[in-house]
Each structure stands twice: as structure tokens, then as C-alpha cells.
Amino acid sequence: MKPPTLMQQNRVKIAEIVIGSRLRPVSAAGVESLITSINETGVMKDAIHLRKKKDGSLHLLAGAHRTEAARRLGWDEIEAKIWTDVTDDWARLIEIDDNLAGAEMNALDTAVFLATRKAVYERLHPETKQGVAGGLARQGSATELSSVASFAVATAEKFNMTDRQVRKIVAAGSRLGPDEVAKLRKAPRQVSLKDLIEISKIQQPTDRYDVVRLLSEGSAKSAAEAARSLKPDSAAPVDANDAAFRALMAAWKRAPAAARHRFREEIAGGDIAEVAAQ
């Protein structure tokens, strides 16, 4: 695979830049801050980074806030570094590292970016995955194994964190789906790293989704409070039918696919009363 090449640095027309999907939306506060800085200093400190595809189109790698600030200031052009021979993974890594290194990010954004960075890092460096490292150890390849850098250590070094901090943040971000991230972004109270770690501990996806929903609606001040509110009140009377139904549903969720398939066939192929009596 050819390494990415810095083709040129030049001014490009803002209207020609393809923004595409980003890991986080542009922050209004971030854009306003940039505009204030540009108005005070008269310059935009850093060039944006673009990926030139084979069809000649220019796709944004890093600098969504800078691009939006320039657009709002009425600029027709912006200074850009233009790269060729860029893979999708390298493009995502540039976006992530640009934000982690220079942007003001909340706990949710940091968790999403680091979790994505881990996935990209392991695709680019498959030798760092635990399974590969374990295989090398079993084969006695001590030299190879010692040369394998873990993602946590490499990222901690790069962004001045401890590897323990990186692991906790990545674990929190890895458990969240895109829909959950979107809901948490709408929460009236900004979610904290403590909230995200609490959410990452929830094993049942439905319970996790309910906690996220309560936070996004503002019905709970923290993930811990949301989780507590979902627990049944031990003092409340228990409906026997409801308890039996929940037990059946729990058994269904735990059952392997083959067992579920067999159950459906039994129900469809015979009298339900007969099946229930077995």
C-alpha cells in the first residue's frame, strides 16, 4: 500500500469541499471561538487537510470547524493541505487525531473518538490485537512480541494521558451505538465520563438504552440515578403474571438461536396446549 502523499498546499474554494460524515457535529461555540480569534489576529492559524480522490473531488480530512468559520466569515477560499493515496482508515485517523490534539472536547466526544481510534489503529496494526499477541507468545516469538505496542500505551503517549485513562474511556465509548451517541448529545445536562463508565457496565442492551433515554430526556441527573430508577421497587406488590411473563422473556433472550428455532417449529406445527403441557 502506498503511503499517503502531501500533494500540495494551496488555497481552495470552500464551495468545492465535500464535508462528508464526521464523528461529531460542528459545535456552534467552537466556530464562534474561531471567528473571534480570526477577527482579532487577522489570520486562521492552521490550514485544513483535504483528501483528493481519483475523480478530482476534494474531501475534508481535518478542519470542519475552520471550514465553517471561514464560510461564515464570507471567505471564498481557504488554505488547505491536499493529500493523495489516502485510505479510509488513514482519513479517519487524521480526523480523530486533529480533534483529540487541538479541539475542546467533552467526555462523550472523547470516548467516541478514542473508541473509533482503537478500531482504526487495530486495523492498521493487526499485530497489536490480543489474539495475535497471544499467538506470538505461544509460538515463543519473544522478539516480535516485545516489539508490539499496545494501543493504550501508544495513545496515552501521544495525547499525554495514562494508559489506564485511555482504557476506561475506550471501554465507555465502545459500548455505545450511533443512536445512543445521538441521544446523549441531546441531553440537557452534558454527560460525564463517570456517566459513560456507568453506562458501559450495563450488560442488557435494553437497560442501557433506557438509561440513555432517561439522560437524553433530562429525566435523570446521572446514569447511576437513571439505572436505579429502572430497578423494580422491592416494596411494591409483585404481579404473578407479570413476573412469569418477564421470566419467559428472559429465558427466550438467553436461549440460543437453535433452541428458539425449534420452539417456533413446535408452536407452529402442533397444538399450543399440547406443547405447553410437555
Side-chain angles (χ1 to χ4, degrees):
M1 183 183 72
K2 289 178 68 177
T5 305
L6 180 57
M7 181 179 155
Q8 60 179 309
Q9 182 163 339
N10 205 350
R11 297 191 70 79
V12 301
K13 290 190 178 297
I14 292 172
E16 294 178 0
I17 297 171
V18 179
I19 302 297
S21 65
R22 312 295 291 171
L23 282 177
R24 69 166 180 157
V26 168
S27 154
V31 173
E32 286 295 338
S33 176
L34 270 173
I35 290 173
T36 300
S37 172
I38 293 165
N39 285 333
E40 287 176 353
T41 63
V43 296
M44 182 177 286
K45 185 167 65 76
D46 298 314
I48 64 171
H49 291 256
L50 300 174
R51 171 188 189 180
K52 187 170 186 178
K53 293 196 172 182
K54 289 181 180 178
D55 62 2
S57 59
L58 297 172
H59 295 251
L60 187 68
L61 291 171
H65 285 78
R66 280 162 277 172
T67 304
E68 179 60 17
R71 189 189 65 77
R72 286 182 51 184
L73 285 167
W75 296 5
D76 290 326
E77 296 180 331
I78 189 171
E79 191 73 19
K81 292 182 177 180
I82 303 171
W83 297 82
T84 58
D85 301 317
V86 173
T87 65
D88 290 344
D89 280 341
W90 194 85
R92 190 60 93 187
L93 205 57
I94 287 292
E95 177 194 352
I96 292 167
D97 287 1
D98 181 71
N99 278 273
L100 287 174
E104 287 292 327
M105 297 216 300
N106 57 37
L108 177 61
D109 287 333
T110 303
V112 170
F113 272 69
L114 279 180
T116 307
R117 190 178 201 277
K118 178 177 184 289
V120 173
Y121 185 92
E122 288 181 345
R123 284 198 297 271
L124 294 174
H125 305 280
E127 74 278 7
T128 63
K129 284 192 175 181
Q130 187 178 0
V132 176
L136 290 174
R138 285 191 295 274
Q139 293 164 23
S141 304
T143 305
E144 286 183 83
L145 185 59
S146 64
S147 70
V148 174
S150 76
F151 165 80
V153 172
T155 300
E157 225 172 72
K158 186 175 178 68
F159 298 109
N160 196 28
M161 300 178 180
T162 67
D163 58 342
R164 186 167 179 270
Q165 282 177 311
V166 173
R167 284 196 299 270
K168 286 172 73 173
I169 295 171
V170 167
S174 297
R175 296 298 299 275
L176 296 170
D179 56 334
E180 292 170 318
V181 171
K183 280 182 176 294
L184 289 174
R185 289 197 196 282
K186 296 175 184 175
R189 174 189 168 278
Q190 199 171 88
V191 296
S192 66
L193 179 57
K194 189 175 179 181
D195 290 325
L196 295 173
I197 291 171
E198 186 71 30
I199 292 168
S200 73
K201 293 176 183 174
I202 301 172
Q203 297 301 315
Q204 288 292 339
T206 51
D207 291 344
R208 188 171 67 249
Y209 194 84
D210 282 339
V211 167
V212 167
R213 176 180 54 77
L214 291 172
L215 286 173
S216 70
E217 294 170 352
S219 303
K221 292 180 181 178
S222 69
E225 181 184 304
R228 283 195 300 271
S229 73
L230 295 172
K231 290 181 180 176
D233 184 358
S234 57
V238 178
D239 182 278
N241 288 330
D242 184 60
F245 173 77
R246 288 177 178 275
L248 283 171
M249 288 303 296
W252 174 264
K253 289 176 182 177
R254 287 195 303 268
R260 293 187 191 186
H261 180 70
R262 181 180 170 185
F263 182 80
R264 288 194 192 97
E265 285 187 334
E266 292 277 359
I267 293 295
D271 180 59
I272 191 165
E274 238 178 74
V275 173
Q278 290 176 5

